[in-house]
Amino acid sequence: MQAIKELDYRPNAMAKGLASSKTTMVGMIVPDLTNLYYAELAQGIDAVAKIYNYSVSLAVSDGNAKAEREAFDTLRSKQVDGVIYMGSNPSDEIMQLMVSSSVPVVFAGSVDPEGKFPSVNIDYIQAFSEAAGKLKENFEDSKIALVEDPDNSKLSQLRRQGFFKALPNGKTYQAEDEYQMGYNLGRRLLSDGIKAVIVAEDATAVGILNYVRDNHVEVPEDFQIISTSDTKLVKMTRPSISSVTQPKFDIGAVAMRLLTKLMSNQEVSDPAVILPHEFVLRETTK
Amino acid sequence: MQAIKELDYRPNAMAKGLASSKTTMVGMIVPDLTNLYYAELAQGIDAVAKIYNYSVSLAVSDGNAKAEREAFDTLRSKQVDGVIYMGSNPSDEIMQLMVSSSVPVVFAGSVDPEGKFPSVNIDYIQAFSEAAGKLKENFEDSKIALVEDPDNSKLSQLRRQGFFKALPNGKTYQAEDEYQMGYNLGRRLLSDGIKAVIVAEDATAVGILNYVRDNHVEVPEDFQIISTSDTKLVKMTRPSISSVTQPKFDIGAVAMRLLTKLMSNQEVSDPAVILPHEFVLRETTK
DNA sequence: TTGTATGCGTTATCAA
DNA sequence: TTGATAACGCATACAA
């Protein structure tokens, strides 16, 4: 203890890792850090990683299959003890890699299409069904649309399932998760006579809102919007956007906690954790 | 090559690291991932880290001295080959740790108070002076305010220096980098008769804008706003916010590139890189 | 060029 | 309980 002070000794993590075959490092695969949804998940992940003394190795996947694969590969070569996967549409390729890799994986705010991995999510079907229900009161089905990712991911399917459960005759539109894509879509929505939308991604929702407002349509009088991630964004617009809320920080935190259990071979009672969502009424609905 | 395929052999990064005393891992200290300014820097960092085959180990510092210290400590124990520091106000503590640690450090979008480390930034004095100049045309000095972080960091000093260079009789207000803090400050600004503000942080700027608008003040007619980070946020508000633009992705990228040079002991010609900024006129100024 | 031993800083094993 | 020693998987230096 004396010497440890005097020499400012610090254990060498690599030697430790080599000998114990544990790195106390987890990989975090994330599509895009500038997407606030994932950023907030990441904060939750980081927070509990700290508590359990894990470092987190970042791997931005851009949501494309190749980068995703490479991200997972470098994580593996780094001998991470586990990985948190985020992404709306995991490629078949990475799914295969993951199942065959033997490192524990948990999905955070992302749905595993085959249900092979533990995951933490909200009940998307229920959430989208409820959101659709709010709009049903004011408009006929055919005037209400779901704006979803162009991918045909399991997540998209769940959202659609919930949406159609409440609105069997609702419409669907595709737009990538970008502000400008939403803005561009606004034109089509208006010309198609759509009166209300549920939007899968916040940035897209803001884009739609701005297009609609820029074209002098009154919100919520003549057009209503419900967003479904409830990031900081939707509180910053005017009118502010009503939204399904998700406990994003907690989703990340619980996912990471789950992973720590897996990494220490503890039993996991329920591998598919569902956290509660809510609905916040703001100014784009009434 | 045959065997490498058959056995799906992957080199063990730890053994490699132990033997070569290189980890091909860099640490990234970031105050808050949900701050889009840092998120965009991080994307730039990650992009060139990939190119040079470095992994990046994430360490969220919350901008507080203790967490910052711990972040740096765990990075060191992980034997990272270098670290990218981000943060508006590095504590004395971490500065000391860094100088005494012998691992290469570069500051990205963050100013080193003592100029001891290589860094990548814009010319804050110039940028804030120019921004202030735009407002000077329309209002008298005493009606124009700089909204800055409450910390008295070197960065804040530079901003102030630029601001006062153009507006010797300008005012200053403090607000933490949060939407709500900006919103709250809005009240004081209006009651003090302020007519135009330059805001150091985007989220704060949006808060001010919304307060002002919510209280039926016309923007830009009766109140003008200039933001200075130009994150996605400022394009999403209505009116959209005029802003000093920063090449955030590039700042991160160049910082990481610089770090790779340092890590391979190459000479670095200019350790304090200044990247060009611009000004984008949007709807909160005229 | 190809092969062989030694060291990297720990953990883990086994003996004392 | 303590102490010595063999892995851990790769680099590196040296010998063949």
Side-chain angles (χ1 to χ4, degrees), chain B residues 146-171:
Chain B
L146 171 69
V147 178
E148 57 180 2
D149 261 335
D151 66 39
N152 189 26
S153 62
K154 179 75 180 179
L155 171 57
S156 290
Q157 289 172 29
L158 295 178
R159 299 201 257 232
R160 229 176 291 144
Q161 198 174 328
F163 177 76
F164 283 124
K165 189 169 148 193
L167 300 170
N169 297 310
K171 308 288 184 191

Side-chain angles (χ1 to χ4, degrees), chain B residues 50-71:
Chain B
K50 248 181 206 137
I51 294 174
Y52 289 89
N53 274 102
Y54 279 94
S55 299
V56 0
S57 180
L58 183 63
V60 179
S61 70
D62 283 336
N64 87 57
K66 180 158 170 287
E68 230 174 27
R69 200 184 62 67
E70 290 172 352

Side-chain angles (χ1 to χ4, degrees), chain A residues 22 29 31 53 61-62 107 137 182 222 235 274:
Chain A
K22 287 192 175 179
I29 298 179
N53 274 102
S61 71
D62 283 335
F107 278 55
E137 301 163 10
D222 299 324
K235 298 159 202 153
I274 297 295

Side-chain angles (χ1 to χ4, degrees), chain B residues 27 50 54 100-101 103 106 130 156 162 169 229 238 244 254 270:
Chain B
K50 248 181 206 137
Y54 279 94
S100 66
S101 80
V103 311
V106 2
E130 284 171 20
S156 290
N169 297 310
S229 302
R238 283 299 177 273
V244 170
V254 171
D270 185 6

Side-chain angles (χ1 to χ4, degrees), chain A residues 29-33 59-68 71 86, chain B residues 43 46-47 50 249:
Chain A
I29 298 179
V30 55
D32 175 11
L33 284 176
V60 179
S61 71
D62 283 335
N64 86 57
K66 180 158 170 286
E68 229 174 27
M86 291 179 277
Chain B
Q43 296 265 136
D46 179 84
K50 248 181 206 137
F249 185 93

